[in-house]
Amino acid sequence: AARRGDHIAWQAGFQRASSMSQQYKTVLFDFGGTLDADGVAWKERVHRHYRAEGLDMSAEAFDPLFYAADDRLIGALPREADLAATVHELTANLETELGRRAAPADKARGKRTAARFLAEASASFARNRPLLEMLSTRYRLGIVSNFYGNLEAVCRGAGLAPLFGVMVDSQRVGAEKPDPPIFQAALRPLGAAPETTLFVGDSLRRDREGARRLGMGFVWIAPVAAQQAEARAAKAPLDHPVVAQFGELAEILT
């Protein structure tokens, strides 16, 4: 009953979305936080796993360390690096940042945190793959991600690459969301028009704004608490559909 009540606020959005399966021919997805989780960004997930490993640090203190560690990956990873290599390098960078600024570095803790993150992502891929396989028979699919230069290798390693006609990595194309060129880099090879394209992502600033700039539709994937907080901040119902779990896209797109 509580879950049903949480979604009452979004009923109008789902009613508007009921015709999406006829309206759209192409569906583009964000990667991190969307395909590998139910709307929770890497920063929040890594922080949660670090806390499970005993790191007593607030999100406010952790955030600049994460951003510094994350920035060091951009363009530095081999193009063939898979998700495991990416996440282990990220936590190694984080341990370096912790050692410099906040707490003693602990390489073993970093490896355990990476393992937690990867297990969670692997479960998400397994859970989401059947729906993606079905959608790939109905729509042209693509990925648009602000990533490190190795998005294609990450998707191959996750077993997702065959389902997508294009995988656009910001580091490879020289543009980032929400700027239009990164989205256009996906639309062109798919032969897709913005007005018949839907973007699914977890970031309002990058994904929703990018979709709006090009005239694409948008679905926000986010935990219910985040949905409610955004509605309160906007002081109005959201003007696009939202889902709390990736699997709920089936209600919109099939």
Side-chain angles (χ1 to χ4, degrees):
R3 179 174 172 78
R4 183 175 181 276
D6 286 336
H7 285 271
I8 288 174
W10 317 118
Q11 185 175 0
F14 279 111
Q15 288 172 344
R16 289 195 300 273
S18 62
S19 63
M20 281 188 173
S21 59
Q22 289 78 42
Q23 180 179 355
Y24 294 106
K25 298 178 180 179
T26 304
V27 184
L28 302 178
F29 296 88
D30 170 52
F31 180 80
T34 300
L35 293 178
D36 65 344
D38 288 325
V40 184
W42 279 29
K43 175 170 62 68
E44 284 73 23
R45 286 151 56 202
V46 171
H47 181 233
R48 171 164 49 82
H49 293 311
Y50 258 103
R51 288 183 63 86
E53 288 293 334
L55 181 68
D56 184 14
M57 180 177 287
S58 69
E60 291 74 18
F62 184 81
D63 286 359
L65 305 184
F66 178 89
Y67 290 133
D70 184 69
D71 286 347
R72 288 171 55 193
L73 294 183
I74 299 172
L77 289 167
R79 289 189 176 184
E80 64 274 14
D82 62 7
L83 184 63
T86 302
V87 174
H88 278 285
E89 189 67 19
L90 174 63
T91 58
N93 289 351
L94 264 166
E95 289 299 338
T96 299
E97 295 298 326
L98 286 165
R100 286 174 177 170
R101 297 196 258 177
D106 183 342
K107 292 182 179 180
R109 175 184 58 190
K111 291 179 179 179
R112 293 193 304 270
T113 298
R116 286 176 179 269
F117 184 100
L118 291 166
E120 185 178 63
S122 180
S124 292
F125 294 142
R127 185 171 59 250
N128 296 339
R129 189 176 293 109
L131 177 55
L132 288 169
E133 289 173 347
M134 185 271 292
L135 293 177
S136 72
T137 68
R138 302 189 180 197
Y139 302 91
R140 293 169 292 198
L141 302 185
I143 301 175
V144 179
S145 179
N146 289 354
F147 214 69
Y148 308 110
N150 61 321
L151 177 64
E152 291 186 18
V154 166
C155 292
R156 285 197 302 270
L160 299 180
L163 303 176
F164 295 95
V166 66
M167 291 162 279
V168 178
D169 184 319
S170 59
Q171 176 62 22
R172 300 283 292 274
V173 301
E176 293 187 346
K177 297 181 293 184
D179 294 337
I182 190 172
F183 298 96
Q184 292 164 339
L187 295 174
R188 281 193 299 270
L190 291 175
E195 60 269 20
T196 57
T197 298
L198 180 70
F199 197 91
V200 180
D202 68 300
S203 170
L204 298 180
R205 180 175 63 84
R206 293 183 295 271
D207 300 327
R208 181 178 66 180
E209 177 60 22
R212 285 180 171 175
R213 290 183 188 184
L214 273 168
M216 297 185 293
F218 177 67
V219 174
W220 187 29
I221 179 168
V224 170
Q227 298 176 22
Q228 294 172 334
E230 177 63 20
R232 287 194 297 269
K235 297 182 180 179
L238 298 179
D239 61 356
H240 51 76
V242 295
V243 295
Q245 296 179 339
F246 191 88
E248 293 173 11
L249 289 172
E251 301 175 31
I252 296 174
L253 293 172
T254 61

